[in-house]
């Protein structure tokens, strides 16, 4: 029996910390192009109260999406101890490619995954680079695709990266843009042969795509300020619609996924949700808990099962879930920890609208696969 296990993780956080003072001199406009009359302090404080975002990270000038993806990828490879030439696929989740520093246009040629392979100096011509454009759900969908390739014996080791430099595609006149940030995460997923009764690694997954009337809840558009001409491509979202959709659809999909895996929510030690908006994440978890008739819904209980990074890192799109996972595994999210044998639920919601999730169980002890690979070096 072939299973897919995580053999290494890594992430990259930009060192430029952006606090609310950064936005105090911005001129904010509404959706029909009129300047908002409220003071910036009132706008920013209300935004922070809802999202809980105190800080976010932006990349330094001259650093591209593919650069930070390659950094996270190298760290994941080092952590895995798997030779980079043994990687069969690179699946790169992102949405905007590299952003040209003058035209602010998205650059997808060559692909981000091909650039990552180049920056890692992987010589193996059989290592195939794929880009995954799937909204904020891209990294989890990349993991799902990798799992299918591994279990079908088309590959043995796959590198899945996630990276975004959203600070380069945000409208400075849109108050919603304060939610976005930059970052990168990565994981190496490998196949392992095991006994029929063993059950760990990716044990179940699901994806739901509502691409009809909900397609444009999150999209691109010109600046809300009609006089702003710096960039014609700015991320734009209908926050209220996304919030309502998330609360209606995400909890039900997660419960269905657990049901199909013959698991109860009590079998899950950690829930790692896409860090989009603290208020929305709390509401999703509360609704999921209510589906199981949980009565203890205090905030400290929510934070115990669902670690949060959005307060300090903002919403880095595809990078939020793998970044949070890597921080926990590296012991940098105390008191949160993941122990051998723990089962976690990872889920995300993104442009489309797309929802997906993975149920992952960590091996009870160091398995034979890991021992076999400890001698491999980059």
């Amino acid at each position: 029996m072939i299973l897919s296990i995580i053999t290494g993780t890594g992430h990259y956080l930009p060192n430029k910390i952006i606090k609310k003072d950064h936005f105090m001199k911005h001129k904010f406009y509404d959706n029909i192009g009129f300047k908002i009359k409220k003071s910036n302090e009132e706008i920013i404080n209300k935004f922070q109260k809802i999202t809980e975002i105190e800080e976010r990270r932006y990349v330094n000038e001259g650093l591209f999406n593919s650069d930070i993806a390659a950094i996270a990828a190298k760290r994941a490879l080092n952590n895995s101890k798997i030779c980079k030439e043994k990687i069969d696929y690179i699946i790169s989740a992102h949405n905007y490619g590299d952003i040209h520093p003058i035209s602010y246009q998205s650059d997808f040629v060559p692909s981000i995954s091909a650039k990552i392979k180049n920056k890692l100096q992987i010589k193996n011509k059989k290592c195939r680079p794929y880009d995954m454009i799937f909204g904020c759900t891209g990294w989890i969908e990349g993991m799902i695709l990798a799992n299918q390739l591994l279990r079908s014996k088309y590959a043995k080791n796959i590198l899945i990266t996630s990276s975004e430099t959203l600070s380069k595609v945000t409208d400075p006149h849109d108050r919603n843009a304060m939610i976005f940030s930059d970052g990168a995460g990565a994981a190496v997923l490998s196949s392992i042969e095991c006994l029929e009764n063993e059950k760990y690694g990716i044990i179940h997954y699901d994806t739901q795509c509502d691409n009809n009337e909900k397609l444009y809840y999150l999209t691109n558009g010109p600046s809300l300020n009609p006089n702003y001409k710096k960039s014609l491509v700015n991320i734009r979202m209908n926050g209220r619609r996304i919030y309502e959709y998330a609360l209606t659809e995400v909890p039900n999909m997660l419960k269905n996924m657990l049901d199909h895996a013959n698991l109860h929510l009590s079998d899950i030690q950690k829930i790692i949700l896409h860090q989009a908006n603290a208020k929305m994440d709390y509401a999703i978890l509360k609704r999921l808990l209510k589906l199981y008739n949980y009565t203890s819904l205090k905030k400290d209980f929510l934070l115990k099962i669902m670690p949060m990074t959005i307060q300090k890192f903002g919403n880095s799109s595809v990078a939020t879930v793998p970044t949070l996972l890597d921080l926990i595994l590296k012991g940098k999210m105390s008191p949160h920890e993941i122990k051998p044998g723990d089962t976690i639920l990872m889920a995300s919601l993104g442009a489309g609208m797309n929802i997906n999730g993975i149920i992952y169980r960590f091996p009870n002890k160091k398995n034979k696969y890991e021992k076999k690979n400890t001698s491999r070096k980059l």
Side-chain angles (χ1 to χ4, degrees):
M1 183 176 179
I2 301 296
L3 296 178
S4 302
I5 62 167
I6 296 171
T7 49
T9 56
H11 77 278
Y12 173 81
L13 283 172
N15 55 26
K16 186 189 294 185
I17 299 173
I18 305 298
K19 299 185 179 183
K20 67 180 184 179
D21 292 347
H22 176 85
F23 305 99
M24 283 298 183
K25 294 184 179 180
H26 283 212
K27 295 180 180 179
F28 294 109
Y29 286 72
D30 61 24
N31 290 333
I32 55 176
F34 290 105
K35 189 176 182 302
I36 297 173
K37 294 181 180 180
K38 294 178 182 178
S39 69
N40 279 17
E41 185 174 10
E42 184 180 355
I43 293 170
I44 294 167
N45 287 340
K46 182 179 179 181
F47 168 87
Q48 185 171 318
K49 184 178 180 180
I50 294 172
T51 65
E52 293 190 7
I53 298 175
E54 303 166 7
E55 303 171 356
R56 69 283 291 152
R57 302 294 184 98
Y58 287 178
V59 293
N60 292 321
E61 291 295 325
L63 206 55
F64 291 93
N65 190 342
S66 57
D67 292 324
I68 65 175
I71 294 170
K74 187 173 182 179
R75 291 172 178 172
L77 284 168
N78 283 328
N79 184 232
S80 74
K81 296 182 174 62
I82 292 173
C83 174
K84 64 184 180 182
E85 300 299 336
K86 298 292 185 180
I87 298 296
D88 299 300
Y89 289 85
I90 299 173
I91 301 175
S92 173
H94 64 92
N95 295 290
Y96 286 94
D98 284 342
I99 306 298
H100 193 279
I102 298 175
S103 68
Y104 289 90
Q105 288 186 314
S106 294
D107 178 7
F108 292 93
V109 182
S111 68
I112 293 297
S113 54
K115 290 178 181 177
I116 293 169
K117 181 180 176 181
N118 175 270
K119 292 175 192 293
L120 293 174
Q121 297 184 325
I122 294 175
K123 307 299 182 184
N124 178 11
K125 294 181 181 179
K126 294 296 184 180
C127 173
R128 282 153 283 191
Y130 284 173
D131 278 24
M132 173 68 70
I133 313 298
F134 207 72
C136 294
T137 51
W139 182 77
I140 287 182
E141 199 64 26
M143 291 283 284
I144 291 171
L145 174 60
N147 173 66
Q148 293 168 337
L149 290 167
L150 291 168
R151 297 192 68 174
S152 300
K153 299 184 180 182
Y154 285 108
K156 292 184 178 180
N157 302 294
I158 299 177
L159 172 64
I160 307 96
T161 71
S162 60
S163 56
E164 207 67 89
T165 53
L166 295 178
S167 62
K168 300 177 183 292
V169 291
T170 52
D171 177 5
H173 302 287
D174 183 357
R175 55 192 161 178
N176 289 328
M178 291 188 287
I179 202 171
F180 296 114
S181 64
D182 305 337
V188 177
L189 201 64
S190 302
S191 64
I192 179 173
E193 292 187 15
C194 67
L195 300 175
E196 190 71 30
N197 62 343
E198 292 182 295
K199 195 73 172 176
Y200 52 83
I202 294 179
I203 60 176
H204 199 65
Y205 58 86
D206 197 10
T207 301
Q208 172 180 308
C209 305
D210 283 313
N211 308 137
N212 293 304
E213 66 273 9
K214 301 172 181 67
L215 182 66
Y216 295 107
Y217 283 2
L218 199 155
T219 183
N220 294 314
S223 172
L224 296 177
N225 178 357
N227 297 316
Y228 180 77
K229 304 298 181 184
K230 190 174 182 180
S231 173
L232 297 177
V233 179
N234 303 282
I235 190 168
R236 179 88 58 248
M237 67 176 182
N238 188 326
R240 181 177 294 277
R241 292 280 189 174
I242 293 172
Y243 184 88
E244 292 170 351
Y245 178 80
L247 265 60
T248 302
E249 300 291 339
V250 177
N252 290 327
M253 194 209 78
L254 296 181
K255 186 177 187 302
N256 288 338
M257 189 165 61
L258 289 167
D259 290 345
H260 279 94
N262 294 316
L263 293 173
H264 189 274
L265 188 59
S266 60
D267 297 315
I268 302 298
Q269 281 70 52
K270 292 293 175 191
I271 297 175
I272 301 179
L273 281 183
H274 167 52
Q275 305 287 294
N277 175 325
K279 180 182 178 182
M280 185 172 78
D281 282 5
Y282 297 144
I284 289 171
L285 181 55
K286 285 180 179 179
R287 290 207 177 187
L288 177 61
L289 290 166
K290 285 181 179 178
L291 292 176
Y292 288 92
N293 297 316
Y294 277 70
T295 57
S296 177
L297 299 179
K298 294 180 180 179
K299 191 171 181 179
D300 59 345
F301 175 78
L302 302 181
L303 293 175
K304 183 178 180 181
I305 192 172
M306 184 179 71
M308 300 289 287
T309 56
I310 193 167
Q311 292 83 357
K312 297 298 182 182
F313 302 155
N315 175 359
S316 57
S317 183
V318 289
T320 65
V321 171
T323 296
L324 179 48
L325 175 64
D326 186 48
L327 286 168
I328 298 173
L329 292 176
K330 301 291 174 56
K332 297 180 180 179
M333 281 291 291
S334 181
H336 294 287
E337 61 179 340
I338 294 174
K339 301 174 183 177
D342 278 358
T343 304
I344 67 170
L345 175 60
M346 297 183 283
S348 55
L349 162 72
M353 299 299 289
N354 300 323
I355 304 171
N356 55 14
I358 288 174
I359 301 171
Y360 186 90
R361 180 173 295 144
F362 288 82
N364 281 311
K365 56 184 178 179
K366 291 286 183 180
N367 56 66
K368 291 182 289 184
Y369 181 86
E370 291 176 302
K371 291 179 181 178
K372 186 171 64 177
N373 280 288
T374 52
S375 62
R376 297 181 179 180
K377 296 181 180 179
L378 292 175

